[in-house]
Amino acid sequence: MKYATLVLLLTFIAALFAETITKHPIYVFQYLLIGLALVLFYSLLLSLSEHIGFGLSYLVAAVMTIALVGLYIFGVLKSRKAALVISGLLSIIYIYIYVLLNLETYALLAGSVGLFIALAAIMYGSLKMKWK
């Protein structure tokens, strides 16, 4: 649960970039639905892990969530490229968090380095944006 905020923020930033690049608005209600889908991941993970192992539960919940958000972004923005980019980003985020959860002694180091790389990528990406 402690990584939920990270997943939400990174996904919303990616959606904001996609919205700006495609010049197609994503409305507040649509951001809310995306956020609810991301939060539902944790409920899926918990409920599935009661019946199957954690690793498989994580995989199933992540694939379901990534597919849902990716398809929704495609429907909202009408852009296959934006949907694939956000789905890819979510895949990287969920893989990264899974690795963090399994790296008990190096979690802080890996988390800090990962956040640094994410911030650097966001800063670099924002340089190419036309904000008007």
Side-chain angles (χ1 to χ4, degrees):
M1 287 301 288
K2 60 185 170 185
Y3 298 113
T5 305
L6 175 66
V7 173
L8 285 169
L9 286 174
L10 290 176
T11 304
F12 287 154
I13 290 168
L16 177 67
F17 281 149
E19 176 183 7
T20 306
I21 290 169
T22 62
K23 294 180 177 45
H24 190 284
I26 300 176
Y27 299 104
V28 173
F29 180 72
Q30 293 168 322
Y31 275 106
L32 175 67
L33 291 175
I34 293 167
L36 288 173
L38 295 173
V39 170
L40 188 57
F41 163 79
Y42 295 99
S43 177
L44 286 169
L45 177 60
L46 180 62
S47 61
L48 287 170
S49 64
E50 290 180 357
H51 302 285
I52 56 179
F54 176 77
L56 184 56
S57 299
Y58 192 94
L59 176 65
V60 170
V63 168
M64 289 172 64
T65 304
I66 292 165
L68 178 62
V69 172
L71 290 170
Y72 188 68
I73 290 293
F74 177 70
V76 169
L77 297 179
K78 308 290 190 253
S79 168
R80 179 174 288 159
K81 182 178 179 182
L84 289 174
V85 166
I86 289 181
S87 295
L89 175 68
L90 273 175
S91 298
I92 291 168
I93 291 169
Y94 281 121
I95 290 168
Y96 174 66
I97 290 173
Y98 184 77
V99 168
L100 276 181
L101 291 172
N102 289 307
L103 277 180
E104 298 167 7
T105 56
Y106 292 101
L108 179 60
L109 175 61
S112 298
V113 170
L115 286 174
F116 180 85
I117 291 169
L119 179 59
I122 291 167
M123 291 171 78
Y124 179 74
S126 71
L127 293 174
K128 297 180 179 201
M129 303 295 293
K130 293 188 176 155
W131 295 97
K132 294 181 183 183

